[in-house]
Every structure is written in structure tokens, then in C-alpha cells.
Amino acid sequence: MKQLGSEPLQTARLDLRPFRATDFQLAFDNWMSDPSVTKYLTWTPHAAPAFTRALLAQWEEQSASPEVYHWALVWRETGEVIGDLSVVAADMRSERAELGYCLAQAFWGRGVMTEALTAVLAFLFGEVGFSRVEAKYATANAASGRVLEKCGMKQEGILRRYVRLLSTDEWTDVAIRAVLREEWRCTAGGAVRWVNAAWSSK
């Protein structure tokens, strides 16, 4: 495997790049303060832009590490930061990565996260060399499951009463989906390419 870090990626509509501290206001306004976005996540909405600014400053510093895989999703048409996609856990010996993601509500239902995830899967399998990529989601969040399914990730099981939601204090079951390198096909999201790399696929 090659530890390559958060290489800039491009898709038909998106630029994926490391976060910058200067992204804080758009990140706060677009999704980090929105309880609809965080309903099924492991963190609560940010109460003030200052908190977001401090967090993104940490992320910008961390992005220098080749072991960190964390991208801001930028809507190319406007340059607006609209979401977050990252490897939240990795086992390098077993060549396994777990993804986490969230997206501004204004961009839901438009195939944006499918497009971003397709690019990241291509990078993690084709360049970094992971053997398996997985993701978990609350079963009540069916839209998240559809994104993973569109990207070829197969459901492997249900973890019963796995998480107590911060948003409602209710228990929820969690599903796990995964795709193996040999199963993966670039079938969603349109053209995908790396910036500063020769690989491309349609």
C-alpha cells in the first residue's frame, strides 16, 4: 500500500480537496449547524462559527499527513464547500478502510455524494491499494444506504441497537456495507480523475 493522503480529486461537478480553516463560515452555514444533516451522525450541530473555525484549523493541519484521508466537497460551479468525506478508521495491515460522510441539505437527492464516493473509492482502491472499503449507517437513514448501494457496496449485516442517537436519545440499528477491490467497478458519478495523476476512468 501507498500512504498518499488527501490528494485532490475531481469529478464531473466537484472538486475534492483538504479542508482549509477559511472554509469555516460556509461549512457552518451549509451543514455543520443543520440538525437535519446531523440527525444520524455521531456529533451534534455546531452552535457557533468559532467552533467550526477551530475544528477546520485542526483539519487543515492534519491534512499534511499522508495517513489522513479527508476531503472537503466543493461545488465547482460556485466554489462553495458543501460536504465532508473521509476515512474515519483504517487498518493498514488488513488493508481495510471505513468511510464517513455528510452533505449540505440543499444538495440532497442530486447524486452528489454518490459522485464523490465513486471518486474516493477509485483513489483508495486504485492508488492507495486498500483491499476493502466499508461504511456504516443508521438503518432509518435509507438515503445513506442507497448511496452506498449505488457505489457497489454490498450489505453484510445489521448491528442491532448499535447506537444511541445524540439527536433523539433513541437507539437505532446500524447496517454495514462494504466492497472489495476485486468487486469494485466505477459505475456511478460520471467521469472521475485524479488531479496531477495519469489515471482516468469513465
Side-chain angles (χ1 to χ4, degrees), residues 39-43 136-139 159-175:
K39 180 177 180 180
Y40 297 109
L41 301 183
T42 57
W43 48 277
K136 300 185 184 81
Y137 65 96
T139 54
L159 307 171
R160 297 175 298 160
R161 282 183 53 142
Y162 192 70
V163 169
R164 178 173 275 170
L165 296 174
L166 292 170
S167 59
T168 63
D169 203 38
E170 298 173 338
W171 287 102
T172 184
D173 295 348
V174 167

Side-chain angles (χ1 to χ4, degrees), residues 129-193:
F130 280 104
S131 176
R132 170 188 167 94
V133 178
E134 62 189 44
K136 300 185 184 81
Y137 65 96
T139 54
N141 188 6
S144 186
R146 287 194 295 271
V147 168
L148 300 176
E149 184 177 9
K150 288 177 183 177
C151 291
M153 301 180 79
K154 300 178 181 180
Q155 184 165 309
E156 296 186 336
I158 302 293
L159 307 171
R160 297 175 298 160
R161 282 183 53 142
Y162 192 70
V163 169
R164 178 173 275 170
L165 296 174
L166 292 170
S167 59
T168 63
D169 203 38
E170 298 173 338
W171 287 102
T172 184
D173 295 348
V174 167
I176 182 168
R177 285 182 174 268
V179 60
L180 306 182
R181 184 168 54 214
E182 59 267 27
E183 296 171 339
W184 181 80
R185 296 292 184 272
C186 185
T187 58
V192 176
R193 70 182 180 88

